[in-house]
């Protein structure tokens, strides 16, 4: 798939430490949809400065330098998480889920989960001007063919889960297309429209789950109910609703 809604400017690197770091040199370029792709990312960074571990030539690691067409204010920075998460979810659901009937979930704020294992992570970094988002760097890691994972990573790959052969090029271009399509849905139908899809496929929604709350240093059992219009996670605890930012709570997956 090489059909796009907006043209992309593709930069392919043989190796780099982090595609997001490399992408930062293009923040002030006039071009939009600049895509940095490498098959060998040596020091990928995930959420909360965690490392994204990936084997050479077995996975997808790329970043998109994107300048919003529709004004996005700082309080709505979660929107790009929703757009990207929805896009990856739709890519995997459309092409691979019907063949295997496995549940694919979006783990708040922006991981993709299959069989309770993380297969994809997203790192969004924003550059602001006044109260608006000037440029967004969307970093994506997708485990495709990797087979070895440390237990503490709680990760897996598409190959291990689906036992199918994958065309990395096709996956790469499909994800970019779906990100563009999801962004188009946002600017034409609005924030609520794309948020509804995200909430519908939210991992552990309406189920009791274990969490660690950083502020109180406590472990809790709560129920995820939804997200707010600013991207906060809504957790029900003892019939009361609490709102959490992504650095305030941690999922504890068995």
């Amino acid at each position: 798939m090489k059909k796009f809604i907006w043209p992309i400017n593709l930069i392919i690197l043989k190796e780099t430490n982090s595609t997001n770091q490399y992408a930062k040199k293009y923040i002030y370029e006039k071009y939009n949809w600049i895509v940095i792709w490498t098959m060998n990312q040596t020091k990928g960074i995930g959420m909360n400065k965690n490392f994204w571990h990936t084997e050479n030539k077995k996975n997808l690691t790329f970043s998109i330098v994107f300048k919003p067409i529709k004004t996005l204010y700082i309080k709505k920075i979660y929107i790009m998480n929703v757009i990207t998460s929805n896009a990856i979810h739709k890519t995997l659901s459309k092409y691979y889920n019907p063949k295997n009937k496995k549940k694919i979930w979006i783990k708040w704020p922006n991981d993709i989960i299959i069989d309770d294992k993380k297969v994809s992570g997203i790192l969004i970094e924003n550059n602001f001007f006044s109260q608006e988002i000037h440029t967004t760097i969307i970093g994506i890691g997708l485990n495709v063919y990797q087979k070895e994972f440390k237990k503490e990573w709680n990760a897996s790959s598409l190959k291990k889960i689906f036992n199918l052969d994958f065309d990395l090029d096709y996956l790469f271009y499909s994800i970019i297309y779906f990100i563009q399509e999801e962004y188009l849905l946002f600017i034409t139908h609005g924030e609520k429209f794309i948020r509804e899809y995200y909430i519908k496929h939210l991992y552990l929604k309406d189920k009791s789950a274990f969490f660690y709350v950083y502020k109180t240093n406590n472990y809790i059992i709560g129920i995820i109910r939804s997200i707010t219009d600013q991207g906060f996670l809504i957790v029900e605890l003892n019939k009361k609703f609490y709102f959490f930012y992504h650095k305030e709570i941690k999922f504890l997956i068995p």
Side-chain angles (χ1 to χ4, degrees):
M1 176 185 287
K2 293 189 179 181
K3 177 181 69 173
F4 298 108
I5 298 169
W6 294 279
I8 70 169
N9 296 277
L10 179 59
I11 299 169
I12 299 177
L13 304 175
K14 184 178 180 180
E15 178 182 295
T16 189
N17 59 350
S18 162
T19 56
N20 262 37
Q21 284 297 113
Y22 191 92
K24 289 176 182 178
K25 66 175 70 178
Y26 296 99
I27 285 176
Y28 298 105
E29 286 283 341
K30 63 179 180 179
Y31 301 107
N32 208 349
W33 297 103
I34 300 172
V35 183
I36 316 297
W37 183 17
T38 184
M39 294 297 288
N40 188 20
Q41 180 174 253
T42 58
K43 293 182 180 180
I45 304 296
M47 290 285 291
N48 301 323
K49 297 183 179 180
N50 295 320
F51 283 108
W52 180 261
H53 302 272
T54 182
E55 292 183 15
N56 187 15
K57 298 182 180 179
K58 292 187 177 180
N59 304 312
L60 287 180
T61 49
F62 62 97
S63 297
I64 301 169
V65 183
F66 168 73
K67 300 179 189 300
I69 297 171
K70 180 179 180 179
T71 300
L72 264 181
Y73 294 100
I74 291 176
K75 66 180 182 179
K76 294 293 184 179
I77 58 175
Y78 89 101
I79 288 293
M80 293 311 300
N81 281 334
V82 171
I83 286 170
T84 310
S85 299
N86 286 0
I88 298 174
H89 186 277
K90 288 181 178 181
T91 301
L92 299 181
S93 297
K94 180 176 181 180
Y95 295 115
Y96 307 108
N97 198 43
K99 299 177 183 178
N100 293 270
K101 308 299 181 184
K102 290 185 180 292
K103 286 289 187 180
I104 303 173
W105 300 103
I106 299 170
K107 176 175 168 283
W108 177 87
N110 51 16
D111 289 336
I112 303 298
I113 299 288
I114 311 175
D115 282 355
D116 294 320
K117 299 291 185 181
K118 180 176 177 178
V119 298
S120 180
I122 300 161
L123 176 63
I124 307 288
E125 297 184 274
N126 296 291
N127 182 264
F128 303 105
F129 179 77
S130 186
Q131 294 298 308
E132 299 176 10
I133 298 173
H134 173 268
T135 307
T136 294
I137 297 175
I138 306 167
I140 296 170
L142 176 63
N143 297 328
V144 183
Y145 281 107
Q146 187 164 328
K147 293 183 179 180
E148 301 297 326
F149 299 92
K150 292 183 179 180
K151 185 178 180 180
E152 60 265 29
W153 299 347
N154 195 50
S156 189
S157 67
L158 300 183
K159 179 64 177 178
K160 289 189 70 173
I161 293 170
F162 291 131
N163 194 28
L164 296 172
D165 291 325
F166 296 88
D167 184 326
L168 291 177
D169 281 18
Y170 187 81
L171 267 176
F172 170 74
Y173 289 114
S174 296
I175 290 170
I176 295 172
Y177 174 80
F178 273 102
I179 290 173
Q180 291 193 343
E181 182 180 71
E182 201 68 17
Y183 183 69
L184 183 61
L185 289 173
F186 166 62
I187 61 178
T188 55
H189 295 285
E191 174 185 340
K192 184 180 178 182
F193 184 84
I194 64 167
R195 192 169 69 238
E196 285 176 352
Y197 182 94
Y198 180 95
I199 292 169
K200 180 181 178 181
H201 298 94
L202 200 57
Y203 180 61
L204 297 178
K205 182 177 181 292
D206 299 326
K207 295 181 179 180
S208 293
F210 289 92
F211 303 91
Y212 174 73
V213 181
Y214 290 99
K215 186 176 181 179
T216 60
N217 195 30
N218 283 330
Y219 294 92
I220 65 169
I221 299 176
I223 302 172
I224 293 174
R225 292 304 186 191
S226 188
I227 62 168
T228 71
D229 62 0
Q230 292 188 21
F232 288 82
L233 186 69
I234 303 174
V235 177
E236 182 180 346
L237 178 63
N238 297 326
K239 297 183 179 181
K240 293 183 179 180
F241 294 101
Y242 296 86
F243 305 90
F244 296 96
Y245 186 58
H246 73 85
K247 293 182 180 180
E248 296 176 337
I249 194 170
K250 178 181 179 181
F251 289 75
L252 299 175
I253 302 174

